[in-house]
Amino acid sequence: MTEKLKIYVTARIAEILLKDAEGFEFFKSDGRTVNKNALLTKLIVNYHLKFAREQEETIAFLKKKIAPVTRLAADALDSLCYGICEKLNERVAASNGEKFDKLISLKPTKESEPLINYIEQYSLAGRTLSEYFRSMFAAYASLPQDKREEIIFKPQVDAILKAVKEKKQIFITTKNNRFRRMEISPYSIANSKEELHLYVLATQPRGCITVRLSRITSVVQLPAEAKFTQENIAALQKMIKYGPQFRCRDNEDEVLVKLTAAGIEKFRKIYVHRPIPIGVEGDFYRFDCAHTQIVQYFSRFGADAEIIYPENVRTEIYNFHRRAANAYDNIN
């Protein structure tokens, strides 16, 4: 099969697939145009076994419940159960009564074509290929974003978790131009508190690092043992607790922030990347998390948040606002 498949899905599913293609950085060679077909290829290749197993579990459950109270022949029972399963799939795909009016074109690739041919031969059970993939895409879209990322990058996840279990170092290549190739000791894969992305927490000789899973293109396990100091482990545990996307250096100082009344209100309302305080005394908030998280979060507060200590964090936010003020001062 080389021709494109036309798959009609709901607007919600189409939007999630497009958002994932962009968020997981699937772009064409120009680096700007979203390559949705590349995402769909990974989705099919990495999700088909789990999706098929879940479908078969549903069919088996239906047969177990229906067979004792009917006298249906095996073929008729199969047909009934597959029909019910497909109706359930439609309910998942259009849970609010949406229409299947958004067209997705799926072009088979060298990676996906053998699997598509297999599905067409053995897995349809009376459905068309378009109906089968619509159900698969709907099941995928019903998952939280971090679980969808785990599916799209399943080979990397499996290789990293294997190395973590066996306490081995790995060699990774990434999309990051600055650190394209690295030898690291992987500690864990953790999700952000907003359940947006997954991050690989690890160490190098220079300390703890964090790498977004979607930016890892390959993983090779090395024979060398993974290495972690007690200071590394404390920092990595802190990153898991407060936000794995923020690199925590060993033995970073606590941070004290003074908030105005407006700042306290902003702290309540601005959820994304919000650090967890370890103590609150009036309008003074104490934090024991990565300094990069403090800078990124409280830079949005302007004069409503003042870093009392440490001095390096206070200076970094001061310089951030000074550069912004200078940019406005230079406007003619």
Side-chain angles (χ1 to χ4, degrees), residues 111-125:
E111 188 177 6
S112 66
E113 186 172 7
L115 182 55
I116 293 173
N117 290 333
Y118 174 85
I119 290 170
E120 185 175 29
Q121 187 70 28
Y122 297 106
S123 304
L124 296 185

Side-chain angles (χ1 to χ4, degrees), residues 104-221:
I104 291 179
S105 294
L106 171 63
K107 181 176 177 56
T109 64
K110 181 185 295 186
E111 188 177 6
S112 66
E113 186 172 7
L115 182 55
I116 293 173
N117 290 333
Y118 174 85
I119 290 170
E120 185 175 29
Q121 187 70 28
Y122 297 106
S123 304
L124 296 185
R127 294 169 288 185
T128 65
L129 266 176
S130 294
E131 289 170 338
Y132 184 89
F133 285 123
R134 181 177 69 193
S135 297
M136 178 187 286
F137 297 166
Y140 168 85
S142 69
L143 299 171
Q145 181 174 308
D146 58 330
K147 296 300 181 184
R148 301 197 304 268
E149 185 174 6
E150 192 174 314
I151 289 169
I152 298 301
F153 300 98
K154 185 178 184 298
Q156 292 93 317
V157 170
D158 290 346
I160 292 165
L161 292 181
K162 180 176 181 291
V164 170
K165 182 179 180 180
E166 297 178 4
K167 299 181 180 179
K168 296 294 185 180
Q169 294 183 25
I170 56 175
F171 175 79
I172 64 172
T173 56
T174 76
K175 298 176 184 177
N176 189 323
N177 288 328
R178 186 179 177 190
F179 302 108
R180 187 172 292 276
R181 299 176 180 85
M182 293 185 284
E183 292 183 14
I184 62 175
S185 294
Y187 183 77
S188 71
I189 298 176
N191 65 313
S192 63
K193 302 311 170 189
E194 302 80 19
E195 296 185 345
L196 295 178
H197 288 289
L198 292 168
Y199 294 84
V200 178
L201 303 185
T203 61
Q204 283 187 314
R206 62 191 178 95
C208 298
I209 65 167
T210 177
V211 185
R212 207 168 93 180
L213 174 66
S214 62
R215 291 182 179 152
I216 298 176
T217 56
S218 67
V219 180
V220 177
Q221 184 169 312

